[in-house]
Amino acid sequence: FGRHYIEDLFNDFRDGRRLLELLEGFTGQKLAKEKGSTRVHALNNVNKALQVLQKNNVDLVNIGSTDIVDGNHKLTLGLIWSIILHWQVKDVMKNIMAGLQQTNSEKILLSWVRQSTRNYPQVNVINFTTSWSDGLAFNALIHSHRPDLFDWNSVACQQSAVQRLDHAFNTAKRNLGIEKLLDPEDVDEVGHVGEKGGGLLIFQSQNIQFTDM
């Protein structure tokens, strides 16, 4: 994420500067930033970032500068997810997409998840919202690629969704280098911020290879 380490996904993008740094990495362009600390400076920075995204044909739906500056969880995740879909997903999966004659990145990603978790009867991923809230999908996705990391049955029998989510996030951070940008309680509250959480976390690491489809 550019020059600065992101510690809190919802707060660190609020002033717009790190968001612009992120876009500099993708576009290869130097983007001017307002360095003041007022809300006006933050709004101007985020507005500039949204304009850059629009010029690059990144799909933004109902996301405004005030949403990011105010730290709206759901819409901040939506923004980052749109950036990931536009740049990283299409780049990583371009060969798969060409082979399947499919251009919808999200559908391809969902197909890959379903393929990866097909041997886990407790898991049925049909979307990036409710399918992730019980924590089983996250753990199955990790276990399908790294079965050496933990015993699946011991995780599947845990009664608490928060426990399973916490296990998945901690395992991913400890063994795959995937930063824990969401709390288990966030994903458990599907109607609140779970909408983009599943897809976002899948794409935080280069250690999971999409050529396994």
Side-chain angles (χ1 to χ4, degrees):
F1 281 91
R3 300 178 182 86
H4 297 96
Y5 185 78
I6 301 298
E7 297 181 351
D8 187 318
L9 185 65
F10 305 119
N11 286 321
D12 290 350
F13 286 118
R14 293 179 66 175
D15 64 8
R17 290 197 293 269
R18 293 187 186 181
L19 183 57
L20 286 169
E21 289 179 358
L22 175 64
L23 296 180
E24 285 179 338
F26 284 121
T27 64
Q29 299 175 336
K30 180 67 177 178
L31 302 173
K33 309 169 193 67
E34 297 192 10
K35 297 181 179 180
S37 58
T38 69
R39 180 177 176 84
V40 172
H41 290 111
L43 288 169
N44 288 340
N45 283 330
V46 175
N47 273 324
K48 181 175 293 184
L50 295 180
Q51 290 171 6
V52 171
L53 291 171
Q54 290 171 345
K55 288 180 180 178
N56 283 273
N57 299 314
V58 176
D59 187 25
L60 300 175
V61 180
N62 298 324
I63 299 175
S65 57
T66 56
D67 300 314
I68 307 305
V69 173
D70 290 339
N72 183 297
H73 285 198
K74 182 176 180 179
L75 295 180
T76 299
L77 283 177
L79 175 66
I80 302 304
W81 176 231
S82 294
I83 292 172
I84 289 171
L85 278 178
H86 184 77
W87 274 290
Q88 189 173 4
V89 177
K90 289 183 179 178
D91 182 60
V92 172
M93 300 171 62
K94 58 186 177 184
N95 293 331
I96 296 173
M97 295 169 72
L100 296 179
Q101 297 183 334
Q102 172 62 264
T103 58
N104 188 309
S105 303
E106 193 161 347
K107 287 183 179 179
I108 291 292
L109 179 58
L110 187 61
S111 296
W112 173 79
V113 172
R114 289 179 60 82
Q115 179 75 5
S116 297
T117 59
R118 66 189 183 280
N119 294 323
Y120 299 81
Q122 305 97 322
V123 178
N124 180 29
V125 180
I126 60 174
N127 55 41
F128 286 114
T129 55
T130 55
S131 296
W132 301 86
S133 61
D134 63 6
L136 289 173
F138 282 117
N139 281 288
L141 189 59
I142 295 170
H143 190 265
S144 68
H145 292 273
R146 291 291 306 276
D148 58 300
L149 294 181
F150 60 89
D151 177 63
W152 165 255
N153 290 327
S154 65
V155 173
C157 70
Q158 291 179 334
Q159 295 185 355
S160 168
V162 171
Q163 283 182 324
R164 290 191 292 266
L165 288 164
D166 192 56
H167 176 272
F169 295 169
N170 287 332
T171 300
K173 180 176 182 178
R174 183 171 58 251
N175 298 283
L176 301 177
I178 302 178
E179 286 301 320
K180 187 177 177 182
L181 298 181
L182 291 176
D183 291 324
E185 292 80 7
D186 291 331
V187 181
D188 191 36
E189 297 172 5
V190 177
H192 195 54
V193 299
E195 184 171 354
K196 305 299 180 184
L200 175 62
L201 288 169
I202 292 170
F203 269 91
Q204 287 175 35
S205 175
Q206 298 297 322
N207 294 294
I208 296 179
Q209 300 298 319
F210 290 84
T211 53
D212 291 340
M213 279 188 64

